[in-house]
Amino acid sequence: MAEVKQFFTESGMAVKPLYTPEDVAGISYDEALGHSGQFPYTRGVYESMYRGRTWTMRLYSGLATAEESNARYKYLLSQGSTGLSVALDLPTQLGYDSDNPLVEDEVGRIGVAIDTLADMEALFDGIDLGKVSTSFTINSTAIIILAMYVAAAMKKGTPIDQIAGTTQNDMVKEFLARNTYIFPIEDHIRISVDMIEYCAQHIPKWNPINIAGYHMRESGADAVQELAVVLATAEMIADETLKRGIDIDSFAPRLSFELWTGTDFFEEIAKYRAARRMWSGIVKNQYGAKNPKSLLFRVFAGGNGITLTAREPLNNIIRVTLQCLTSALGGAQAIHTPAYDEAIATPTKSSALMALRTQQVIAYESGITKTVDPLGGSYYVEHLTDELVRQAAEKMEELKRQGGLMRAVKEGSLQREIQQRAYAAELAIQRGERTIVGVNRYQDEEADSIEPPIYQADSGVRDKQVSRLRRVKEQRSDTAVAKALERVRKDCAAKVNIFPAVLEAVNAYATVGEITDAMRAVLGETIQPPIF
């Protein structure tokens, strides 16, 4: 008898050859699905969804200097982009100035270099910060970057209660995946909550944290791990904020999320639906929120770079299209589409435009925005949604039994899980058990000789950046800088909200490195041991 082939989702859930009403017999429509814009929000956080407003279209972009990035932002906005997503270089992410010899080869390489408020002013020169929504993919130095954005807005005459956007500010995934942390995790979490507290009181349209599963998935986690860790992180952040006596309904409406959109079409759509159902239940039942906006899992869907290939890069256009369609059918509030050449280099102007056009064609030509949750009611999608809810809830309970999320991160057990999952996934590709078109199957040797245009960063970017930094230091008041940095140190030591002190330092044109060093002097640095 021939062996029956087994099929599984990317996260390892068994897939039957056919789904019927029996597979959804235990699912109550009113309790598990409901209507869009109503608890438990499985079908969408807003009643009309894209019929009322299309998702925000963002392209992750940051090019060497503030001036070059500014030109790219203006171009994207002129072509219909409805939000900006700022990529910052590694020195800025790690709290080093461009003139630090430790980072001379990294200045402006994977994003824009920001040293002082002068750079932030140049970055948004000629852009109305009261009308554009801006997302910053920044974590360890997020409080400094947000303070610079606030200061830049104030200098433009824009009231800070009118600026809108997001700072990623998720330190858990830094320790799990990206490793661009600086301080001990407890201090990083406290600083994240400082931002949540300040924004709740003064910047009501700003999302002070974007709890992200994207980077865990890039590192190898599956959809179940992504869901469980993102929601466990949100619980931890909520708990720490509540300890300050802040009401859940004053900050929960501005907690935002970012999930990774892979190429397993139905599982990824089900994941977004499961996330909305789970989060609304947690905030309503566990925290007793009264404001319906507190229950909304508002999500930025990231088309992912790790699925893009350097071989046959034009194939990436199809992959990105699929990821965008998946994110939209999943009900995302904002979507990022990577450019097809990102596996090779920073996107060119033309490849970035293609990424934007991908979103626009799907939004305005496909017809998927005409009705809400068009895949709702599919036996397969509803079964997957329910199964993801069940498995993610089990994983969250497992984390609690192990002593909580913080302990799992500090001991490295979560990191090991993700590494093991990444290793198994790579083995499947190497063995040919999982097909990557153009890489391990259907290879066209002639296609590899066709090279797309490559973005060339300005080789003199560091010299330009150091020159501007020198001018800023010559023109600023050293007395004001010293006074502001001393306040940062004192407030860090006193464990009071440090945002006002950081804002004062930024307005004095203190540098990212100087402010970070002031914090390092009190909080110290942390180095994770190797985890295998």
Side-chain angles (χ1 to χ4, degrees), residues 249-298:
D249 286 319
S250 68
F251 69 88
R254 279 295 158 185
L255 298 181
S256 65
F257 299 85
E258 179 182 0
L259 297 181
W260 183 89
T261 301
T263 50
D264 192 324
F265 188 73
F266 290 106
E267 181 176 71
E268 294 298 319
I269 291 169
K271 180 189 70 180
Y272 286 102
R273 302 171 87 252
R276 288 193 290 270
R277 184 189 304 175
M278 293 182 74
W279 180 239
S280 66
I282 289 169
V283 180
K284 180 179 181 180
N285 301 322
Q286 189 169 312
Y287 294 110
K290 302 294 189 295
N291 183 354
K293 292 183 179 179
S294 298
L295 312 182
L296 305 185
F297 187 92
R298 296 175 303 108

Side-chain angles (χ1 to χ4, degrees), residues 3 32 34 99 116 148 171 224 226 236 276 297 302 304 350 367 370 372 376 419 453 512 517:
E3 183 179 351
D99 60 358
T116 71
M148 286 185 176
M171 292 311 304
V224 173
E226 179 186 21
M236 182 179 69
R276 288 193 290 270
F297 187 92
N304 62 86
S350 61
K370 293 177 181 178
V372 177
Q419 289 171 4
V512 168
D517 283 345

Side-chain angles (χ1 to χ4, degrees), residues 129-245:
L129 299 188
K131 294 182 179 179
V132 68
S133 169
T134 305
S135 172
F136 288 96
T137 303
I138 190 69
N139 296 281
S140 292
T141 55
I143 195 165
I144 303 172
I145 295 302
L146 177 57
M148 286 185 176
Y149 192 75
V150 168
M154 293 173 71
K155 284 180 175 292
K156 285 174 171 284
T158 304
I160 64 172
D161 62 357
Q162 295 302 308
I163 63 173
T166 302
T167 32
Q168 191 162 84
N169 192 27
D170 177 5
M171 292 311 304
V172 170
K173 60 88 177 166
E174 290 300 321
F175 282 83
L176 287 177
R178 290 193 69 245
N179 298 324
T180 62
Y181 48 78
I182 302 172
F183 316 118
I185 189 169
E186 295 90 346
D187 293 303
H188 270 305
I189 296 299
R190 189 179 74 251
I191 294 167
S192 293
V193 176
D194 284 350
M195 294 172 64
I196 293 170
E197 181 180 37
Y198 189 90
C199 288
Q201 296 169 351
H202 303 285
I203 320 176
K205 293 184 178 181
W206 195 266
N207 303 322
I209 189 167
N210 184 234
I211 302 165
Y214 180 99
H215 309 83
M216 286 181 282
R217 292 296 297 276
E218 292 271 277
S219 296
D222 61 29
V224 173
Q225 292 168 322
E226 179 186 21
L227 266 181
V229 175
V230 160
L231 294 175
T233 300
E235 286 184 337
M236 182 179 69
I237 291 295
D239 291 340
E240 292 300 313
T241 308
L242 288 168
K243 287 178 183 177
R244 300 194 183 186

Side-chain angles (χ1 to χ4, degrees), residues 383-437:
H383 171 82
L384 277 179
T385 302
D386 216 46
E387 189 64 14
L388 281 165
V389 168
R390 184 186 67 79
Q391 291 194 24
E394 287 180 355
K395 180 61 183 175
M396 293 176 72
E397 287 302 315
E398 179 187 327
L399 286 171
K400 290 176 182 177
R401 289 194 299 270
Q402 292 174 348
L405 178 64
M406 183 79 77
R407 181 174 179 178
V409 172
K410 294 177 73 172
E411 292 182 350
S413 60
L414 261 178
Q415 291 92 318
R416 279 189 289 273
E417 277 187 29
I418 293 172
Q419 289 171 4
Q420 289 166 1
R421 200 309 183 143
Y423 179 66
E426 181 59 28
L427 277 182
I429 295 172
Q430 296 293 334
R431 292 169 177 165
E433 297 165 1
R434 180 182 173 194
T435 296
I436 306 297
V437 175

